[in-house]
Amino acid sequence: MSEFNDPFREKYGETVIFRPSMTTILELRRKTGQWLRARYPPGEYSSKDDINNILNDYVQHHFKNILSIIDNCSSYETLIFFLEQYEKTANISSNQRDDRLTTEESLLWSKHGPIIRKSLRFLCDTIVIRNQPNRSTQISVSELQLEELIIHSEEAIRLSVGSDATYHNEEGDIQIKILHPERDAIYSIRFEQSTNVSEYENRIHAAVNEFQKHPDIHKIFRSAKNVEVYLDDKFKQVRGFTLSDVFKLFELLILKSQRTGETIQSFERDRLVEVIGELLSLSSNQVNILLRGLTISECTLGDAPNYPWDHRRHNKLHGKPFYEINQANSNRIVTFSTERLKECHFELFSMLRESKLPAEWFTRELNNSVQKYSQAISKDFENYIVEELRNLHAPKIFCSRFSKKIGSQNRYFRIPNQIGDLDILAYLPHEELLVIGECKVSKVPNDPRTFDSELRKFHDYQHQLNRKLEWCKQNISNIEQYLWLNEHFPNDIRIKFVSPILITYYPSFATAHVNGFQCVSITELLSGLVAKQGWAFPPILPIIE
């Protein structure tokens, strides 16, 4: 356990977390207010350039203060303290999901919890990245330094995420007001409209709840079978270990934690290499290669910036649960927490789904296998949607995937290469409706700064789906003639309407920006169909003969 004493405690259920005292918050607010007003006089600012400059300078000011403090107190003990806090916040989030918080606690945690958790993870990462390998003396850390680190990091993350979410991606009015020194606050920011962002966050929360009704869907993205089939042999050949070894290691360490009750574990690095070698029957050289792809140290970022919002930083740290840090006695210590193991277990599967690997493992020889794995996941996702639609009792839906042709083995109508696969072709007889669906295994953006790249991808998807829609409309008579030959469709098919739809895994922020059709998550699709007992997603377009 940490040897630090909490100057202020905040309690959620039975879990108590360290929080800065109001005295420290007000004093730091006074100092940062002086700094900001010296550069930008009190008053209202509404031009895009002024607002960008103010927000960027203010975030950078917080960030520089974080580095200044960490460079004086980066140590194993400081890392353990923040890891303990991170574990506690995971427990609070779990209790919230299980309705073990009061209504007041749950509302408070929904408002502040995500920023607190982002901040703690950022601090853990940065403590290790800024650690000095040759430091050989015990570092003393004051409670005031801990409080200031939390305040600076939470404010920097809140501002960077908030400004991007509401300004860079929303065409609306924004105004920032720098207040006079006699006011308690330093500034106020007014966003006239950020409805798309708030609606998107609500959809994410609803999707998480709906996923509980469909537990099998997550198995698609964590398929041990697909890892074995598409990745393990090539990994063994190129790297000396398999990805199944990696996931087995995570699971064994999580089980050990659950058995012993130790949520944070630490090993001297050489000893950890021995332990993993024994668990997985690997040589020390193979374990060292494995650990390089799973470990954050002072060398991990290289030339990438350490800003919490930078995608290059995110890509280099994603999926790495182990922290390697220098201890006072010059030994290299590797530390990890149960929560980070669970998160990185999920993050590694997410990376594979996107055809990515930790850079320390990647070689061109592995690229083809990773691509095949990703394609298999996409097909499994499409098959899952097809089965779920077929299993609905109301509305009755006949459905299948089609690649290259529509019909039977001997009688078929060919789909042109430029059209590509029809991920979902569904027929609703009572509505005489043909649904043309495109499926995409979307992920939840890491923060609003990824919204722009997501929008660009979805505009490409829009063109793909529109192309397939037009082809189907032009070939309705052929589709009617051959579709019934597929075993999953009825003999009598009459199509008077068509409806395009884009189906994703998680809800997409792009929904509000895609024109011509609906973009819904798998849970939104199924709940909408059940609620209406029919097709619930416009447009429904008539076939003009």
Side-chain angles (χ1 to χ4, degrees):
M1 289 294 293
S2 167
E3 58 192 51
F4 300 114
N5 296 315
D6 298 355
F8 180 70
R9 289 182 169 89
E10 209 166 83
K11 189 173 182 182
Y12 294 87
E14 298 301 314
T15 305
V16 178
I17 57 173
F18 176 102
R19 300 297 295 152
S21 67
M22 187 53 64
T23 301
T24 306
I25 291 172
L26 292 175
E27 176 60 18
L28 209 56
R29 186 179 293 168
R30 184 188 65 79
K31 290 179 180 178
T32 52
Q34 286 180 341
W35 180 92
L36 185 64
R37 294 184 189 102
R39 286 153 182 79
Y40 300 97
E44 295 182 359
Y45 297 82
S46 56
S47 81
K48 177 178 180 179
D49 288 342
D50 284 345
I51 293 168
N52 271 334
N53 288 336
I54 292 169
L55 292 177
N56 286 335
D57 286 352
Y58 197 46
V59 169
Q60 290 288 348
H61 173 70
H62 284 292
F63 186 69
K64 288 176 182 176
N65 277 282
I66 292 168
L67 297 188
S68 175
I69 298 169
I70 283 181
D71 284 347
N72 288 313
C73 69
S74 171
S75 67
Y76 171 76
E77 290 75 22
T78 317
L79 171 64
I80 293 297
F81 173 80
F82 284 117
L83 268 180
E84 286 176 349
Q85 297 304 307
Y86 194 71
E87 283 290 317
K88 289 180 178 182
T89 62
N91 190 49
I92 295 170
S93 294
S94 176
N95 288 338
Q96 183 187 42
R97 287 191 297 270
D98 296 338
D99 293 325
R100 292 202 291 263
L101 299 182
T102 67
T103 301
E104 182 181 358
E105 288 170 341
S106 184
L107 288 172
L108 195 63
W109 189 247
S110 293
K111 181 179 180 181
H112 299 295
I115 295 294
I116 291 173
R117 285 179 56 73
K118 280 178 180 284
S119 167
L120 290 170
R121 178 165 176 181
F122 170 69
L123 290 172
C124 288
D125 295 346
T126 305
I127 286 166
V128 173
I129 290 164
R130 303 287 291 193
N131 185 242
Q132 300 175 25
N134 296 324
R135 182 177 279 164
S136 59
T137 57
Q138 184 78 26
I139 304 299
S140 176
V141 186
S142 70
E143 291 175 348
L144 178 61
Q145 286 176 309
L146 299 175
E147 292 179 88
E148 289 181 344
L149 281 174
I150 290 172
I151 295 168
H152 282 303
S153 60
E154 288 181 10
E155 185 68 0
I157 289 171
R158 183 180 291 109
L159 275 173
S160 61
V161 170
S163 61
D164 258 10
T166 51
Y167 186 42
H168 287 274
N169 296 286
E170 295 295 322
E171 295 297 329
D173 191 21
I174 179 177
Q175 183 185 81
I176 187 168
K177 182 186 291 185
I178 297 179
L179 304 175
H180 288 276
E182 62 270 15
R183 299 285 297 274
D184 288 338
I186 300 170
Y187 62 87
S188 66
I189 301 178
R190 176 175 60 81
F191 299 105
E192 266 199 6
Q193 70 108 351
S194 57
T195 52
N196 287 341
V197 174
S198 60
E199 288 174 3
Y200 172 66
E201 290 173 347
N202 291 336
R203 290 173 62 211
I204 288 292
H205 292 311
V208 170
N209 292 330
E210 283 292 315
F211 275 136
Q212 296 176 14
K213 302 176 185 177
H214 308 277
D216 289 343
I217 191 170
H218 294 302
K219 296 177 183 177
I220 297 171
F221 306 106
R222 306 180 195 182
S223 167
K225 180 180 177 182
N226 280 335
V227 171
E228 292 173 8
V229 170
Y230 296 101
L231 296 169
D232 276 355
D233 287 347
K234 198 65 177 179
F235 251 84
K236 189 70 175 178
Q237 176 187 336
V238 174
R239 287 302 188 193
F241 59 89
T242 69
L243 279 181
S244 292
D245 288 333
V246 175
F247 293 120
K248 178 183 176 182
L249 174 63
F250 282 19
E251 290 158 7
L252 289 172
L253 293 175
I254 291 169
L255 283 173
K256 179 178 182 292
S257 170
Q258 293 170 342
R259 187 176 65 251
T260 62
E262 297 175 350
T263 58
I264 296 174
Q265 302 176 59
S266 298
F267 291 82
E268 288 193 3
R269 194 185 191 286
D270 291 344
R271 177 56 186 153
L272 182 62
V273 170
E274 292 177 7
V275 170
I276 294 175
E278 292 169 3
L279 286 173
L280 303 180
S281 300
L282 299 175
S283 69
S284 60
N285 184 55
Q286 290 166 340
V287 173
N288 279 314
I289 295 171
L290 182 150
L291 282 176
R292 278 201 292 271
L294 299 176
T295 303
I296 297 173
S297 72
E298 71 275 3
C299 303
T300 303
L301 279 188
D303 296 330
N306 190 32
Y307 304 135
W309 53 86
D310 193 281
H311 72 278
R312 289 166 293 179
R313 177 188 191 278
H314 170 80
N315 290 341
K316 284 182 175 286
L317 303 185
H318 206 51
K320 291 179 167 62
F322 300 130
Y323 291 109
E324 183 176 340
I325 193 167
N326 191 58
Q327 205 179 24
N329 59 9
S330 298
N331 289 328
R332 299 289 286 178
I333 301 295
V334 178
T335 297
F336 50 93
S337 75
T338 306
E339 179 65 11
R340 290 296 297 128
L341 285 168
K342 292 176 181 177
E343 290 174 349
C344 290
H345 188 278
F346 176 80
E347 288 171 6
L348 272 178
F349 272 116
S350 298
M351 291 173 70
L352 291 169
R353 191 173 73 223
E354 299 171 45
S355 305
K356 295 178 181 178
L357 284 173
E360 296 83 356
W361 293 346
F362 180 80
T363 69
R364 290 185 179 180
E365 296 170 275
L366 293 171
N367 188 54
N368 189 46
S369 297
V370 175
Q371 293 287 343
K372 288 180 179 178
Y373 173 88
S374 179
Q375 291 165 6
I377 294 298
S378 294
K379 288 182 179 178
D380 287 348
F381 180 56
E382 293 164 14
N383 288 332
Y384 179 87
I385 295 172
V386 167
E387 287 301 318
E388 289 293 305
L389 293 177
R390 287 175 185 166
N391 291 335
L392 289 175
H393 297 292
K396 180 61 180 174
I397 298 179
F398 299 91
C399 185
S400 194
R401 296 174 59 247
F402 291 94
S403 177
K404 299 182 179 179
K405 61 185 181 182
I406 296 173
S408 65
Q409 188 67 30
N410 299 320
R411 294 178 58 194
Y412 56 83
F413 175 55
R414 187 169 293 280
I415 303 170
N417 291 335
Q418 62 268 31
I419 297 301
D421 294 350
L422 300 177
D423 297 345
I424 301 289
L425 209 56
Y427 175 60
L428 285 73
H430 292 299
E431 301 178 48
E432 297 183 316
L433 172 68
L434 182 72
V435 175
I436 300 100
E438 186 82 2
C439 302
K440 297 299 177 184
V441 185
S442 65
K443 65 171 184 174
V444 178
N446 304 308
D447 61 62
R449 290 176 183 268
T450 65
F451 287 165
D452 282 342
S453 61
E454 185 180 15
L455 289 177
R456 286 193 294 272
K457 285 193 297 184
F458 272 76
H459 285 141
D460 291 339
Y461 302 157
Q462 182 174 334
H463 293 312
Q464 292 174 19
L465 183 51
N466 283 335
R467 189 167 61 245
K468 294 177 183 182
L469 171 64
E470 289 304 313
W471 181 82
C472 288
K473 287 166 64 178
Q474 293 168 12
N475 292 275
I476 283 296
S477 59
N478 284 320
I479 292 174
E480 286 180 328
Q481 182 180 349
Y482 288 94
L483 194 58
W484 71 272
L485 295 170
N486 183 281
E487 60 179 322
H488 297 291
F489 287 83
N491 292 336
D492 185 22
I493 294 178
R494 297 178 184 179
I495 301 170
K496 292 186 178 179
F497 303 93
V498 293
S499 182
I501 190 166
L502 182 60
I503 307 166
T504 60
Y505 177 41
Y506 280 107
S508 169
F509 177 77
T511 299
H513 301 268
V514 172
N515 299 316
F517 53 82
Q518 293 263 340
C519 173
V520 299
S521 69
I522 174 61
T523 55
E524 291 171 326
L525 173 73
L526 297 175
S527 60
L529 289 169
V530 171
K532 190 174 179 181
Q533 301 286 287
W535 190 247
F537 308 99
I540 297 176
L541 308 171
I543 297 297
I544 301 175
E545 297 181 359

